[in-house]
Amino acid sequence: AQSVTQPDIHITVSEGASLELRCNYSYGATPYLFWYVQSPGQGLQLLLKYFSGDTLVQGIKGFEAEFKRSQSSFNLRKPSVHWSDAAEYFCAVLMDTGRRALTFGSGTRLQVQP
Amino acid sequence: DTAVSQTPKYLVTQMGNDKSIKCEQNLGHDTMYWYKQDSKKFLKIMFSYNNKELIINETVPNRFSPKSPDKAHLNLHINSLELGDSAVYFCASSQDAGGVSEAFFGQGTRLTVV
């Protein structure tokens, strides 16, 4: 069965600093990959997705992610974090066959210090 | 214009009661989902419907019964509520069955069973 691991439960960065959130997946083939953000009390908003092609994908709010097949990773990055980026971030995968529903990682909570 | 809307946003009820959560999407999507987010923020699929047909039914107690009167609506009815049912329930939709398209999420319904 596929699984998604986000090894960092909680990350604190200073405003203006760079950010990298880690995501590793376990799946026999290349899945479809997503990053969602959940602000407090809100639903999930899609930041970006990878289906195929260029392994560096750009998303909203200045986020990007890089798919590395050799490492089964899809890490999320942002060069300069803003205080409004404080939220919970979820990596998710979707298989291309069979059970078609997102499998989520456990999330990474991002705190931003002024 | 809210794409995926759930009602109510908050629901506090006593053990043993029966309650429903409603979900509507105005995106014209074919597939709708219910996800449960537990107290540790872990998100897990419960059900998925495609054009009113149940396609995913995870290991969920049969006290939970989804109902899809049409492809724009997917309601969740819960019988004999238990303390462990307390969670945030998210409705989502996507263009096709599990889709190679992203899922759009509602704001969530925070259910508290006392």
Side-chain angles (χ1 to χ4, degrees):
Chain A
Q2 78 241 40
S3 66
V4 183
T5 303
Q6 293 180 247
D8 304 306
I9 296 172
H10 188 193
I11 283 183
T12 301
V13 300
S14 298
E15 192 167 15
S18 63
L19 171 71
E20 182 169 30
L21 302 182
R22 296 182 290 166
C23 173
N24 292 93
Y25 65 90
S26 171
Y27 177 52
T30 301
Y32 304 108
L33 298 157
F34 305 82
W35 274 99
Y36 282 86
V37 60
Q38 183 180 23
S39 298
Q42 300 298 311
L44 286 89
Q45 181 183 22
L46 180 73
L47 285 175
L48 46 77
K49 61 194 178 193
Y50 173 78
F51 292 163
S52 64
D54 192 344
T55 56
L56 184 63
V57 293
Q58 303 297 320
I60 62 170
K61 304 185 181 188
F63 285 92
E64 66 177 28
E66 185 171 13
F67 168 59
K68 292 186 177 179
R69 185 189 305 273
S70 61
Q71 298 176 19
S72 297
S73 69
F74 188 55
N75 294 348
L76 181 71
R77 299 194 293 247
K78 187 169 184 177
S80 177
V81 170
H82 188 262
W83 64 266
S84 61
D85 293 325
E88 192 90 24
Y89 291 80
F90 293 94
C91 181
V93 303
L94 183 68
M95 293 195 300
D96 60 355
T97 57
R99 182 177 167 280
R100 288 282 199 99
L102 291 166
T103 297
F104 285 90
S106 53
T108 298
R109 169 169 280 187
L110 173 65
Q111 267 191 303
V112 181
Q113 287 180 333
Chain B
D1 237 8
T2 305
V4 182
S5 59
Q6 299 177 226
T7 54
K9 188 170 183 179
Y10 300 97
L11 183 54
V12 181
T13 188
Q14 291 187 323
M15 282 175 55
N17 284 350
D18 303 338
K19 290 294 179 185
S20 291
I21 306 171
K22 295 186 177 181
C23 179
E24 176 182 3
Q25 55 96 2
N26 62 6
L27 299 167
H29 288 166
D30 295 324
T31 306
M32 296 185 72
Y33 312 82
W34 278 109
Y35 285 84
K36 179 180 180 180
Q37 185 175 46
D38 63 22
S39 59
K40 294 184 178 178
K41 300 278 188 176
F42 187 64
L43 278 150
K44 189 173 180 184
I45 182 72
M46 299 174 69
F47 301 104
S48 170
Y49 269 74
N50 177 258
N51 278 320
K52 303 196 297 175
E53 181 183 344
L54 181 67
I55 56 173
I56 293 177
N57 185 353
E58 289 294 288
T59 309
V60 176
N62 57 15
R63 297 182 294 103
F64 289 78
S65 53
K67 295 230 174 2
S68 182
D70 55 62
K71 76 172 192 176
H73 295 84
L74 180 62
N75 303 324
L76 183 65
H77 188 76
I78 315 170
N79 289 328
S80 304
L81 278 154
E82 300 177 357
L83 293 176
D85 298 331
S86 297
V88 181
Y89 293 85
F90 284 100
C91 178
S93 71
S94 67
Q95 179 60 42
D96 49 26
V100 186
S101 65
E102 65 265 32
F104 291 79
F105 285 80
Q107 297 277 50
T109 296
R110 182 175 293 276
L111 171 65
T112 304
V113 183
V114 298

